Amino acid sequence: MRLAALLLLALVLAAPAAASEQHPTLGELEGEVMCPTCKTTLDQSSAPIANRIRRFITTRIAAGDTRSEIKQKLVAQFGPAILAEPSRHGFNLLAWVLPFVAIGLGAAVLAWLVWRWSRRREAASAAAADSPIDPELERRVDDELARFDA
Amino acid sequence: MTVKHGLQAVTVAVVAGLLGLLIWKVAHQEKGVKLGAGRTPPAPQFALSRLDAPGKLALASLRGKVVVLNFWASWCVPCKSEAPRLEAAWQRYRDKGVVIVGVDAQDFSGDAKHFVQKYELTYPNVHDGPGDVLPKYGVTGFPETYFVDRRGRLVGDRVAGEITAAKLTAGIQHALQS
């Protein structure tokens, strides 16, 4: 039952991605393709070459190209730097892996600090419970209580 | 205390490493050739696919000739105005050991081929879609023109923007006499 629910969830999540791959929109691709002259994504640029690439994408969408096919055609013309996302091969793989490594390391350090802090607090509480009350302090408390009762 | 110092050392090492990477990247960034003040650096080499014929054209294959290197793109408006001027210079100087080479960059090759046909350009034109050659020369925009002498050295100043007939002739003459 649980497995079926998980599979259903995976299908629900995968369906929009598959639809986007098969029927991409200009708006989606504008955020994933760079303007070669201004080094920003297409949606940030109104340079002549950005407008030309927009026209190319529109034409390819109308021709029924998938998102990957359009990107491949752009890479063939302008090289891999035309894509906003770095490729997942070779040295560029670091750009994908390093953020997760950093998050993992940060979480580990944070967990360790929290654990150490909580241990210190426990130790301090135990030490406070074990220590006898200062006689002078006890006498002063008794005096105050007696005065309060009177 | 030791663990705390260890963490601090790791943090400092990571920050220093990232700073070092940034400095290395900035130091190794291509800034292009320096021209003017009598400098004659060697022209950066390239071998690019031809737009007007099959195969590639290597700059090295033109050693012994004066080369006018014109960087352009089909979407660039001033490039359209200067194209007939470059063709006229090619017709005038081709028998005097001068070659004009157009380098179409950051452009669709189909658009570039259409441009070459439309303006009836007969001098060699090559395609550099990714624009890999641009940083080697320090090209900052289109069009931009450079002059290479017979020894393969850049001479004179680069001409940024649309080139006039007078500047084109002066550049060619200067390169021929170098």
Side-chain angles (χ1 to χ4, degrees):
Chain A
M1 187 67 182
R2 193 175 289 176
L3 184 67
L6 278 173
L7 279 172
L8 187 67
L9 182 68
L11 273 174
V12 167
L13 291 174
S20 172
E21 167 62 21
Q22 289 303 316
H23 305 288
T25 64
L26 174 63
E28 287 166 359
L29 281 162
E30 275 187 315
E32 297 170 13
V33 173
M34 300 293 288
C35 162
T37 54
C38 27
K39 309 298 178 198
T40 63
T41 48
L42 281 191
D43 53 10
Q44 305 286 316
S45 172
S46 56
I49 185 61
N51 293 333
R52 177 66 187 89
I53 293 173
R54 271 190 207 100
R55 285 208 309 277
F56 174 82
I57 292 172
T58 307
T59 309
R60 295 323 311 165
I61 289 172
D65 283 5
T66 64
R67 175 197 294 254
S68 304
E69 285 169 345
I70 294 171
K71 284 185 173 180
Q72 276 169 15
K73 282 172 183 162
L74 286 170
V75 168
Q77 286 288 328
F78 297 97
I82 194 74
L83 301 180
E85 283 184 351
S87 69
R88 297 177 192 194
H89 305 285
F91 185 75
N92 285 342
L93 191 62
L94 278 178
W96 291 95
V97 172
L98 277 183
F100 294 105
V101 171
I103 289 169
L105 279 176
V109 168
L110 194 67
W112 179 79
L113 286 173
V114 168
W115 173 76
R116 206 176 69 146
W117 175 70
S118 63
R119 261 192 59 184
R120 260 193 201 165
R121 275 196 69 181
E122 278 171 13
S125 303
D130 292 346
S131 64
I133 298 173
D134 179 21
E136 174 61 17
L137 182 64
E138 195 173 8
R139 188 190 60 76
R140 280 177 60 191
V141 170
D142 287 344
D143 286 352
E144 290 293 327
L145 283 172
R147 199 180 303 161
F148 182 75
D149 287 341
Chain B
M1 196 67 174
T2 314
V3 176
K4 191 178 172 187
H5 283 164
L7 271 177
Q8 282 175 343
V10 168
T11 309
V12 168
V14 168
V15 172
L18 288 173
L19 194 66
L21 199 64
L22 180 70
I23 291 168
W24 181 86
K25 178 72 182 163
V26 170
H28 287 79
Q29 226 165 16
E30 275 188 298
K31 295 181 183 82
V33 285
K34 278 188 180 173
L35 291 175
R39 292 191 191 96
T40 58
Q45 295 299 310
F46 61 78
L48 294 166
S49 299
R50 289 187 68 151
L51 285 167
D52 51 329
K56 288 190 168 191
L57 175 72
L59 184 63
S61 69
L62 300 174
R63 184 64 65 89
K65 293 183 174 181
V66 160
V67 180
V68 178
L69 268 181
N70 174 249
F71 291 89
W72 63 279
S74 65
W75 44 263
C76 144
V77 177
C79 300
K80 295 170 188 171
S81 314
E82 70 172 15
R85 224 165 284 149
L86 290 161
E87 177 61 25
W90 163 240
Q91 296 299 340
R92 184 177 168 194
Y93 286 101
R94 61 188 298 180
D95 295 333
K96 296 181 176 97
V98 177
V99 183
I100 293 178
V101 176
V103 182
D104 167 64
Q106 296 176 333
D107 200 3
F108 285 98
S109 56
D111 292 355
K113 283 175 185 169
H114 179 69
F115 184 100
V116 168
Q117 285 170 359
K118 184 179 177 185
Y119 292 95
E120 298 175 336
L121 306 179
T122 58
Y123 56 84
N125 271 285
V126 292
H127 181 60
D128 178 20
D132 292 335
V133 178
L134 304 180
K136 293 181 181 175
Y137 280 83
V139 175
T140 53
F142 299 122
E144 213 161 293
T145 306
Y146 295 77
F147 300 93
V148 185
D149 71 6
R150 290 189 176 98
R151 296 171 301 153
R153 297 186 168 275
L154 288 162
V155 290
D157 279 327
R158 78 189 72 195
V159 179
E162 186 180 335
I163 195 163
T164 60
K167 279 187 179 173
L168 190 52
T169 305
I172 290 171
Q173 292 295 346
H174 180 56
L176 280 168
Q177 288 157 16
S178 295

